[in-house]
Each structure stands twice: as C-alpha cells, then as structure tokens.
Amino acid sequence: MAKPEGADVAEADFVALARGLARALGASPQRRALLGLTAALCIVVGATTFMQIRLNTWTKAFYDALSEKNLDAFGHQLLLYLFIAGTLLALNVAEKRLNLTMKMKLREGLTRDLIGQWLAPGRAFRIAGAGAIGVNPDQRVHEDANHLADLSTDLGAGLLQSALLLTCFIGVLWGLSENVVLSFRGESFSIPGYMVWAALIYAGAASFLSWRAARKLVPLNAERYARESDLRFALVHANEHGEGIALHRGESEEKGKLNAQLDRLLAVLRQLIAVATRLAWVTSGSGWISLVAPTIVASPAYFSGALTFGGLLMAVGAFEQVNLSLRWFVDNAGALADWGATLLRVGGFRRALEGLDRVDGVSRIERTVAPDGKLRLDDLVVASPAGGIALDQAHVEIAAGEHTLIVGAPGAGKTSLFRVLAGLWSWGEGRIALPADERIMFMPKRPYIPDGGLRDILAYPGQPDQFAPAEFEKVLARMGLDHLVGRLDERRRWDQDLTDAEQQSLAFARLLLHRPLWVIVDSALDSLPAVTRKALFDSFGQELSASTLVYIAGPQGGDPFFRRVLRLIRRRLPSSVPTR
C-alpha cells in the first residue's frame, strides 16, 4: 500500500500539524465551551496580574512603614494585605478550576475527533498497514491526546500569565531605574531602564543555554512514547495469550521478547536522562543565581539614595517578575519538548488518517453503486502481496439470489479480492458495481466478536430491541449453539470463552438474524462443522432464499450448492499500483 500523506512527520511539519488540530477543535461541538473557558481564563489571569502589581506596590509602602517604625501605617498595610491576599486566593482557586475544566474539554474535543477520524469507513484497517504511524493507535487516541490536552492548557495559561506580567512589570522596573546614577572608576553616568536591560540580558543568556541543552528532547520524547507504546502492547498481548504461552511452554521466549522491548525503552530513557541532566545544570544554576541577582542589580540605586529600603524590595520584586516572565522558556524547556513530541504524534496520526483518502498518482479501482441491484466486475485487476489477481472472466455479472463460488489456490489473493469487494482496498484497476451497502453483509475469515452480551453481539452493529426476543434463540439453535440460549444476556469475554468454531457459528447466527440480501464470505465456511455448514446452506434455501451468496474459498471449498464457479488467475499490474 502506498504510504499515505502524513505518514512521515518531521519537526518542519510542526506548525502545519498544530493548525490542523486547531481547525479540528474549531469545528468540534466543544468549540463554544473552549472559547468560553479561554476567555474566562484570560480574565482571571489578567485580574491576577493586576493584583500582583498591586501586591508589588504594597511591598514598598509596607517595608517603608516598618523601617520608619510607623505603627498606624503598618497596621493599615496589614489590612490592605489581607484584602490583596484574599483576592489572589480566590483568583487562584478560580484559575485552578478553569484550568482543570479546560483540560477536560480539550481532551474531549481531541479524543472525539481522533476517534471519528480513526473509525471513518475503512480507515482503521488501512492505517494498520501504513507503517510506524499506524502502530498502536490506541496509545495516540488515549494517552497522547490526554497528555497533549494537559500540556497545552498548562503551557498556554503559563505563557499568557508570563506575557502579562512582563508587559506590566517591565514598566514598573523601567520607572524604578529612572534618576539612578551609576559610578565606575570615578565616573558617574546613567543608563535609562538599566534594570530592564539587566533582566533581559540575564534571562536571554539563560534561555539560550536552556535551548542548547534541551534541543534534543523533542525527538527523544517522541521515541520514548513510541517505545512505551510497544512495551504496553507486548504486555497486553502476552496477557491475552497466557494460555497458549503456557501450553507451548513459551514463557522463556516471551520473557526474552518483553525484556527486549524494555531494553529498547531503557536505551531511550538513558539518553533522556543525559539531556535532562544537562538541562538541570542550566535551570538550577540560573535559579540559584536569581536569588541574589535582583538585589545586586537594584543595589546601586539603593546605595545612591534613589531608592528607599521599601523601594529596593519593590524593585527586587519587579525584577523577579520580569525575570520569571523572560525565563518562561527556561523553566518550561522540558515541558515544551514534551508538548512538541506529543503534538507530533497526535497531529501526525490525524494527518495520516486524513491522507488515507487522498493518495494521488496511483491507479485505483472504480467503485459505484449498481442501480439495478446486481454485482458487476469489469476488467478487474486487484493489487495484492501476491501480485496482480483477476477473475478468469473479464466481465462478471451476479444477479440477486445466485450462489457463486470464487476459487483460488493458497496465496492467490483471495482475501485481497474480498477486501476490494468490501471497500477496504481500492488499489488496482477496473470497475466494481455493487448493491447499496445496507443490503450487503461481509463475513471475514476471522469473525469479529465485540464486547457485551450475546444478544448485543448478535444484533451488532444494530441494537437488540430491533429484533424479537425469540429470533435470537432461533438463530442460535439453527447454528448449533443451543447451549448458549440461556446465556443471551450474560456479559463475558466471548471472544476468549468460545472456541474458534463456536465464534464462527455465532457470526453466521448474526447473519441469519439480520437477513441481508447479499452475503460475501471470505473462506469462513471452511471452519464450520459439517452439520452447521449444512444448516447454513439449508437456510439459503428457506428464510434466505432471496439472498445472494458469493463465497471466496480454496479449491476444497467446492460444493454442489454453488451453481456457478469463477477462478482467480494472475495478471500483470501497472507500475503505479501499490501491492501493500
């Protein structure tokens, strides 16, 4: 199969992927809630910034009152502090609630969109063959979408707050730097806004060093999530096949496989530890320096008399706020790298799903709906791993009520033909005209047994209340599953509790319940017991007498029941047709 657009995701795609996810959220039912929450967060963060400026101004008045031993002013400032602190407390609680609600809504929007894209007709099947982008999609839909929602909310709110604080406090710091005369080797001079420039230089240097230390985190985090996903899948696989492993005495082999997956993960984690350690030197080092840097920068103004002690503490507070705002990248370098890696995984997966429907430059089979309700195959050549396959007749027409057998040797591409008829595979050449989808039921070699009770399984994909209760018992008995009649509402892992033959019989019981007008089967009849197979053929002469049956099977699939036999043959493929 041709690699779909978006299967390879590089950092250069970052902006495009972010825009794609933003457009998806903008079109989602959660968009109004997200816009409302965003507006509310902006208001709360803005109010918090205003109150922090008020708190910074309060610092000067409070410590000046303390240094002057002015008891009345001191008591007044304490009361004012209670008001400021209470307001900030209420704003912090409101911001926390809005932040958590935003994460929930953002996750809901992302997850619902990914589920919708993944389970669009045929995509879940096709993405599985699209290479690394299609490995463990559950991890991307569940864990990665959740992680992206959390990081996006935290980083977005933090960036907004830092931007507002920087905008406000840089003016405060500039004002405190006025009329400050600096001396150096007996020369006096002034630098307008010198404390602002000092904060810019200090934060800029720390940000550059942090970027240098953290630039490898994005690809390493992306690799880590892929390895975590592989290990999780291997553990689930071993758990689900515990009986087979035990019967074959394969515990040692499985342990080796799991340890190999763990070793691959640990190799990436070791690289992450090395990068995180280098980053810690920068972030922790700049953090320790920042404890004294504001005081050192503001001290010339204090010693020159331009600032009182309270003014010094106010300047230190303003410098710290400006520095923290400018250091936002330094403090969040690891989280930004994590966010970037997660966005690449989620956005790349979504783009790959969309690209499955937009593969250009390759030959595709034309597929239409037959207005007269017949099945027609004209000049059909299917691209398969075995090469080009076709029928021994260039033009085939199957009318309603016919029973047709299509025979192919092992490896001849029988399943590929079945997937073409089902619309899961479209590469090749020629034309297919099929009746409307709601009139057809496709039966794969391996039956699908969804979760739930037997009544739900038989009604799938419909609802049990669409059928009379007696119908469920009747179809089970018809397919030799009488022993399950009393367990119709029992919810179990039926795909594990039933034998392969029972699962296949249950799938055909579903067929009898739904009574489709067209049935296309891929080798599934071969696994039925002889008695059950005969009962199924009998049903096509009775309650399903108006239904058409197309059975794709090996040479042993022949039966007098089929009045028409077609054969699969090899054909040359055009160079533009993919085979997988």
Side-chain angles (χ1 to χ4, degrees):
M1 179 176 177
K3 187 175 290 186
E5 179 186 349
D8 290 322
V9 180
E11 290 185 50
D13 301 316
F14 190 84
V15 175
L17 294 179
R19 286 176 178 171
L21 288 175
R23 283 195 298 269
L25 289 171
S28 71
Q30 289 75 39
R31 62 185 180 278
R32 291 186 178 178
L34 289 171
L35 288 173
L37 288 167
T38 301
L41 268 173
C42 289
I43 293 171
V44 170
V45 170
T48 302
T49 302
F50 174 79
M51 293 307 297
Q52 286 178 317
I53 295 172
R54 188 71 186 85
L55 181 63
N56 181 256
T57 305
W58 170 88
T59 301
K60 179 180 184 302
F62 177 76
Y63 283 102
D64 282 345
L66 193 64
S67 63
E68 295 168 4
K69 299 181 180 180
N70 187 333
L71 187 60
D72 291 338
F74 178 77
H76 173 73
Q77 293 302 322
L78 280 179
L79 292 174
L80 182 58
Y81 175 77
L82 291 176
F83 169 75
I84 295 172
T87 303
L88 282 172
L89 174 62
L91 289 170
N92 289 339
V93 172
E95 183 179 350
K96 182 67 174 180
R97 181 178 180 84
L98 288 170
N99 189 287
L100 291 173
T101 306
M102 172 70 85
K103 288 179 180 180
M104 180 187 70
K105 284 295 180 183
L106 190 56
R107 181 187 182 183
E108 180 184 0
L110 284 171
T111 304
R112 289 189 189 280
D113 176 73
L114 287 176
I115 290 173
Q117 294 289 337
W118 180 39
L119 292 180
R123 284 185 181 175
F125 165 76
R126 294 201 297 274
I127 194 68
I133 198 72
V135 175
N136 301 333
D138 57 294
Q139 180 82 7
R140 298 176 190 258
V141 174
H142 181 257
E143 293 296 333
D144 292 342
N146 178 39
H147 198 43
L148 181 60
D150 286 352
L151 289 172
S152 298
T153 303
D154 289 338
L155 291 172
L159 180 59
L160 173 64
Q161 189 164 36
S162 294
L164 290 175
L165 287 172
L166 176 62
T167 302
C168 296
F169 276 99
I170 205 167
V172 173
L173 200 58
W174 189 282
L176 291 172
S177 301
E178 290 181 349
N179 303 320
V180 176
V181 178
L182 303 175
S183 298
F184 183 73
R185 292 185 177 181
E187 297 290 334
S188 298
F189 59 94
S190 63
I191 302 176
Y194 86 97
M195 284 192 281
V196 174
W197 300 117
L200 289 172
I201 293 170
Y202 174 69
S207 296
F208 174 75
L209 292 174
S210 177
W211 170 80
R212 289 280 298 176
R215 66 187 188 278
K216 293 183 179 180
L217 280 177
V218 171
L220 282 175
N221 272 318
E223 181 71 10
R224 172 200 170 187
Y225 291 136
R227 300 289 76 78
E228 294 274 14
S229 181
D230 290 343
L231 177 59
R232 175 176 170 271
F233 177 81
L235 290 168
V236 171
H237 184 269
N239 178 59
E240 290 186 344
H241 295 84
E243 181 182 8
I245 293 170
L247 291 173
H248 289 284
R249 305 296 190 266
E251 288 87 354
S252 179
E253 176 71 16
E254 295 300 323
K255 183 165 59 177
K257 291 178 181 178
L258 291 176
N259 281 326
Q261 292 287 4
L262 179 60
D263 290 339
R264 294 178 66 196
L265 171 60
L266 292 175
V268 178
L269 291 178
R270 291 187 187 98
Q271 296 180 66
L272 278 169
I273 289 171
V275 176
T277 302
R278 290 196 296 271
L279 181 61
W281 279 104
V282 177
T283 55
S284 298
S286 61
W288 284 110
I289 295 173
S290 66
L291 291 176
V292 296
T295 305
I296 294 173
V297 171
S299 60
Y302 176 70
F303 288 122
S304 68
L307 290 176
T308 62
F309 181 68
L312 171 67
L313 294 179
M314 180 180 175
V316 168
F319 185 96
E320 288 176 344
Q321 291 290 358
V322 171
N323 179 51
L324 283 173
S325 299
L326 292 170
R327 275 173 45 91
W328 183 83
F329 174 80
V330 179
D331 295 333
N332 293 279
L336 282 168
D338 197 6
W339 177 76
T342 309
L343 185 141
L344 290 177
R345 282 179 58 80
V346 174
F349 179 65
R350 189 182 188 280
R351 189 172 72 176
L353 288 169
E354 291 182 319
L356 291 170
D357 300 329
R358 298 192 304 270
V359 180
D360 300 322
V362 297
S363 177
R364 304 182 72 164
I365 297 168
E366 181 183 344
R367 186 182 178 91
T368 61
V369 176
D372 56 359
K374 294 183 179 181
L375 188 155
R376 291 187 181 85
L377 309 174
D378 295 313
D379 301 315
L380 182 66
V381 180
V382 179
S384 77
I389 60 170
L391 295 172
D392 57 357
Q393 298 179 24
H395 303 284
V396 175
E397 182 177 293
I398 301 175
E402 290 188 14
H403 302 154
T404 302
L405 173 65
I406 300 176
V407 176
K414 298 184 293 296
T415 297
S416 295
L417 174 63
F418 174 78
R419 289 171 177 171
V420 166
L421 295 175
L424 300 180
W425 186 265
S426 58
W427 286 271
E429 57 184 6
R431 293 170 298 282
I432 297 177
L434 284 162
D437 286 345
E438 63 270 13
R439 303 176 65 187
I440 307 176
M441 181 172 284
F442 295 93
M443 306 292 293
K445 285 189 293 186
R446 183 180 179 184
Y448 175 56
I449 308 297
D451 292 335
L454 288 173
R455 202 181 299 273
D456 301 303
I457 294 171
L458 289 168
Y460 184 86
Q463 298 299 318
D465 56 12
Q466 295 177 237
F467 307 95
E471 292 185 76
F472 294 96
E473 300 177 8
K474 180 180 177 181
V475 296
L476 285 177
R478 188 64 180 265
M479 296 307 297
L481 299 174
D482 312 66
H483 57 288
L484 297 177
V485 168
R487 306 174 69 184
L488 274 166
D489 296 310
E490 188 175 334
R491 302 182 68 88
R492 300 179 61 88
R493 284 294 305 270
W494 293 108
D495 58 333
Q496 295 182 0
D497 291 351
L498 299 178
T499 65
D500 291 343
E502 286 176 323
Q503 291 183 48
Q504 199 65 267
S505 298
L506 185 63
F508 280 103
R510 181 194 299 151
L511 166 69
L512 296 181
L513 184 67
H514 285 267
R515 297 188 180 185
L517 293 178
W518 285 77
V519 182
I520 300 177
V521 184
D522 178 21
S523 306
L525 294 175
D526 297 345
S527 60
L528 291 177
V531 175
T532 306
R533 180 184 172 109
K534 183 180 183 304
L536 180 64
F537 284 159
D538 289 343
S539 68
F540 275 94
Q542 298 174 24
E543 60 263 43
L544 296 179
S545 58
S547 298
T548 306
L549 174 62
V550 178
Y551 184 42
I552 306 171
Q556 76 281 5
D559 192 286
F561 174 79
F562 297 100
R563 301 298 179 86
R564 184 179 184 185
V565 179
L566 302 172
R567 300 185 182 280
L568 290 176
I569 59 175
R570 296 290 177 90
R571 282 283 176 85
R572 183 181 63 83
L573 279 171
S575 58
S576 62
V577 177
T579 58
R580 60 180 71 241

